[in-house]
Amino acid sequence: NAGVTQTPKFQVLKTGQSMTLQCAQDMNHEYMSWYRQDPGMGLRLIHYSVGAGITDQGEVPNGYNVSRSTTEDFPLRLLSAAPSQTSVYFCASRRAGASTDTQYFGPGTRLTVL
Amino acid sequence: LAKTTQPISMDSYEGQEVNITCSHNNIATNDYITWYQQFPSQGPRFIIQGYKTKVTNEVASLFIPADRKSSTLSLPRVSLSDTAVYYCLVGPYSGGGADGLTFGKGTHLIIQP
């Protein structure tokens, strides 16, 4: 199993550009989430999904969209990038029925918005 | 979710046992205690989880007193590679619903030679 994979690893955008961060998992996990981590901070939940076709907002959803058309993929879209979205983004997945906290994280995408 | 408090940073030396304590005074009856480890430029990694008393795996031990208002992560005989940020999380065992994990700032553990 590759686990949770994320692409790209690094990305630089200009203010106002849009892009999609990709996340995929091959563990057949029902639950997937996106977090952002800013320097010296913990992780903050952006959006999550409890299954294909179902998504919901987390703590900091503004400026981001998600969709879940398949169990495996959970892309995160930045509609119009802003410097405040400069951060490291982590995708995570877990089994339904597992404890809330037993998640598997991807390696992260480091995004810089100029 | 119950709020947690843990030290911002700790130092130790190779070969020592390191204990990181987390306070969670408002822990609920159905809450579990989970610890994650994060190395620089990597995503967090699950270390250990427990509900009460003591849990041990190949990586660490977790001690939880009877009142469950705190917990201690114990790392035996640390090495330089244990330098990382350690997060304590408290939340319910859940088969569904919101995936509302709250990561605090964690404890930055620095191991010296």
Side-chain angles (χ1 to χ4, degrees), chain A residues 13-30:
Chain A
L13 294 177
K14 294 181 179 178
T15 297
Q17 287 185 313
S18 63
M19 79 158 295
T20 300
L21 307 185
Q22 302 291 344
C23 174
Q25 52 93 9
D26 61 357
M27 298 173 282
N28 203 32
H29 286 172
E30 294 86 354

Side-chain angles (χ1 to χ4, degrees), chain B residues 13-61:
Chain B
Y13 294 91
E14 283 190 294
Q16 300 295 306
E17 178 183 78
V18 171
N19 296 312
I20 306 174
T21 297
C22 179
S23 297
H24 28 80
N25 291 320
N26 297 323
I27 189 169
T29 302
N30 61 339
D31 283 345
Y32 280 68
I33 300 154
T34 311
W35 287 79
Y36 279 79
Q37 175 190 56
Q38 186 178 23
F39 297 114
S41 302
Q42 295 186 27
R45 181 177 73 108
F46 172 87
I47 302 177
I48 196 166
Q49 183 181 72
Y51 184 81
K52 62 180 179 180
T53 63
K54 177 184 175 182
V55 179
T56 297
N57 61 23
E58 65 277 5
V59 177
S61 295

Side-chain angles (χ1 to χ4, degrees), chain A residues 31-33 35 37 40-43 45 48-50 59 90 94-108 110, chain B residues 32-34 36 38 41-46 49 87 89-106:
Chain A
Y31 290 9
M32 296 185 75
S33 307
Y35 295 85
Q37 185 172 37
M41 303 289 290
L43 284 79
L45 182 66
Y48 64 95
S49 169
V50 298
E59 179 185 359
F90 291 102
R94 72 172 175 93
R95 293 182 294 115
S99 166
T100 299
D101 299 343
T102 313
Q103 295 196 88
Y104 296 84
F105 285 82
R110 187 175 297 273
Chain B
Y32 280 68
I33 300 154
T34 311
Y36 279 79
Q38 186 178 23
S41 302
Q42 295 186 27
R45 181 177 73 108
F46 172 87
Q49 183 181 72
Y87 296 96
L89 288 84
V90 174
Y93 186 95
S94 173
D99 217 3
L101 284 188
T102 301
F103 283 77
K105 294 184 179 181

Side-chain angles (χ1 to χ4, degrees), chain A residues 55-68:
Chain A
T55 64
D56 208 342
Q57 297 181 350
E59 179 185 359
V60 288
N62 293 339
Y64 307 96
N65 275 359
V66 292
S67 60
R68 185 94 180 272

